[in-house]
Amino acid sequence: MLATSARRIQQVKRWHMSGARLSGHLPPADLAQHVLDGARTPWPPGTLDHLGRCASCRDRVRSFERVDAAARGGLPSEPLLSPPARVWEAILAEVRAERTGLAPDTRRRPSG
């Protein structure tokens, strides 16, 4: 059992280093890296052929592209507002309570 596990680890290491595909799909890390690099990095040889045939890998690329687009979307059009001081006080009380094991007083105080 141990020898089999050690062999499997070596296979995975060789696969990872060589870029080979055990599952018949392109490594997700390679797809994500290409999406993040954009046009600066050409696809490795054979990758475009594989993407032309493999819906699963194309879907994965599209998912990475959606995440990338959302992350690069910038800030919202409206400015972000700071919450009232009572929000920060409540957060601080909860953090302190977690550290000390005491329950925070989360009752709402009347405003005004």
Side-chain angles (χ1 to χ4, degrees):
M1 176 77 170
L2 188 55
T4 303
S5 296
R7 269 195 309 262
R8 179 73 177 131
I9 290 170
Q10 290 303 318
Q11 287 174 338
V12 170
K13 283 182 181 178
R14 280 193 303 275
W15 166 75
H16 183 69
M17 296 305 287
S18 70
R21 296 174 256 148
L22 290 178
S23 66
H25 295 289
L26 299 169
D30 292 354
L31 298 175
Q33 186 64 52
H34 182 79
V35 168
L36 291 172
D37 289 345
R40 294 174 294 185
T41 305
W43 286 105
T47 301
L48 290 175
D49 290 338
H50 179 83
L51 289 171
R53 295 185 314 273
C54 182
S56 177
C57 287
R58 281 194 311 273
D59 289 345
R60 184 166 277 153
V61 168
R62 281 190 212 107
S63 293
F64 289 142
E65 288 172 340
R66 284 192 301 272
V67 170
D68 183 57
R72 295 176 192 268
L75 297 174
S77 58
E78 297 176 12
L80 299 174
L81 302 176
S82 294
R86 65 181 165 76
V87 172
W88 294 117
E89 291 166 7
I91 292 170
L92 184 57
E94 285 188 37
V95 170
R96 285 183 179 147
E98 286 178 8
R99 288 183 180 167
T100 62
L102 301 174
D105 181 7
T106 56
R107 293 175 290 186
R108 297 193 107 213
R109 296 182 188 110
S111 20

